[in-house]
Amino acid sequence: MNTITSILRRLLAAVALVALLPVNLIIAALLRVLQGKNVLFRQTRSGLGCKPFTLVKFRTMRDLRDADGQLLPDEDRVTGIGTFLRKTRLDELPSLWNVVNGDIAIVGPRPLLPETIAGLGERGVKRGSVPPGLTGWAQVNGNTLLTLDEKISLDLWYIDNGDWRTDLSIVISTLGVMATGEKRRRLQS
């Protein structure tokens, strides 16, 4: 990726972060009141070249565990406001910081856990050959409605075929997903 593109991407994310500051503050205040402290969720994810980084998002789940100390399933831990934030993708707004910081791009394969990438073998290595993104081809084609294998296939299709027109289409489609929710769209192989 050339330096000018990287600088422009970071500058655009910084402008968006500042412009969306009031929205971020309102969401943070609501989360603080409805879920308690720790409004941000941080998790190690795999970036470009499989290098680990800390992804930042709004927290959408409680830390509820069973009698053995194991986390309960996601559907038992996600909160009402968390469901709304996930459906509208507003939980991702703090990840603009990761774009500003150079950890991720605006568009690219969604950053996954390092152990997930390692378990993908050569497909994980190829997936790590481009920067992960705030949004991506798999996210606008079904995301949580897809299997991991379908998502990886879409990510690899994007790596082989994506260009600025594809990126623009993904950004526009992301706005549609934010407004209307996820739908299985087209699957490329």
Side-chain angles (χ1 to χ4, degrees):
M1 173 174 306
N2 74 41
T3 306
I4 293 174
T5 303
S6 178
I7 291 169
L8 288 174
R9 179 182 71 218
R10 288 175 171 202
L11 183 60
L12 179 62
V15 169
L17 202 53
V18 171
L20 292 168
L21 186 60
V23 174
N24 280 314
L25 290 174
I26 290 167
I27 292 170
L30 283 170
L31 288 173
R32 174 81 171 148
V33 168
L34 297 173
Q35 294 182 171
K37 62 182 181 174
N38 297 329
V39 299
L40 294 177
F41 171 77
R42 293 174 178 86
Q43 188 176 54
T44 300
R45 299 288 179 98
S46 190
L48 179 63
C50 301
K51 178 182 171 194
F53 72 95
T54 302
L55 182 73
V56 182
K57 298 169 56 167
F58 280 121
R59 188 166 62 92
T60 59
M61 292 191 289
R62 296 184 187 272
D63 186 28
L64 300 176
R65 298 174 183 269
D66 64 19
D68 297 324
Q70 299 297 313
L71 282 174
L72 294 176
D74 289 358
E75 58 272 6
D76 294 338
R77 297 185 301 128
V78 70
T79 63
I81 190 170
T83 299
F84 171 77
L85 292 175
R86 285 175 170 207
K87 180 181 184 298
T88 59
R89 302 292 196 269
L90 293 174
D91 64 320
E92 306 280 351
L93 288 179
S95 298
L96 284 167
W97 172 251
N98 290 112
V99 179
V100 172
N101 199 36
D103 298 323
I104 64 175
I106 294 171
V107 176
R110 188 78 186 118
L112 297 177
L113 296 169
E115 54 269 23
T116 302
I117 293 294
L120 294 171
E122 287 303 313
R123 295 186 334 151
V125 172
K126 182 174 181 180
R127 200 175 178 281
S129 68
V130 299
L134 187 60
T135 187
W137 192 238
Q139 284 66 46
V140 299
N141 284 292
N143 196 26
T144 61
L145 304 175
L146 304 173
T147 66
L148 178 61
D149 192 56
E150 288 172 324
K151 290 179 197 179
I152 299 306
S153 293
L154 287 167
D155 291 338
L156 296 178
W157 179 91
Y158 171 81
I159 290 168
D160 290 338
N161 300 287
D163 58 16
W164 69 269
R165 289 178 291 272
T166 307
D167 287 358
L168 182 60
S169 169
I170 290 169
V171 169
I172 292 168
S173 295
T174 298
L175 296 174
V177 170
M178 291 173 72
T180 64
E182 293 178 346
K183 295 175 186 71
R184 283 182 71 100
R185 299 193 196 307
R186 57 199 157 225
L187 296 181
Q188 307 286 347
S189 359

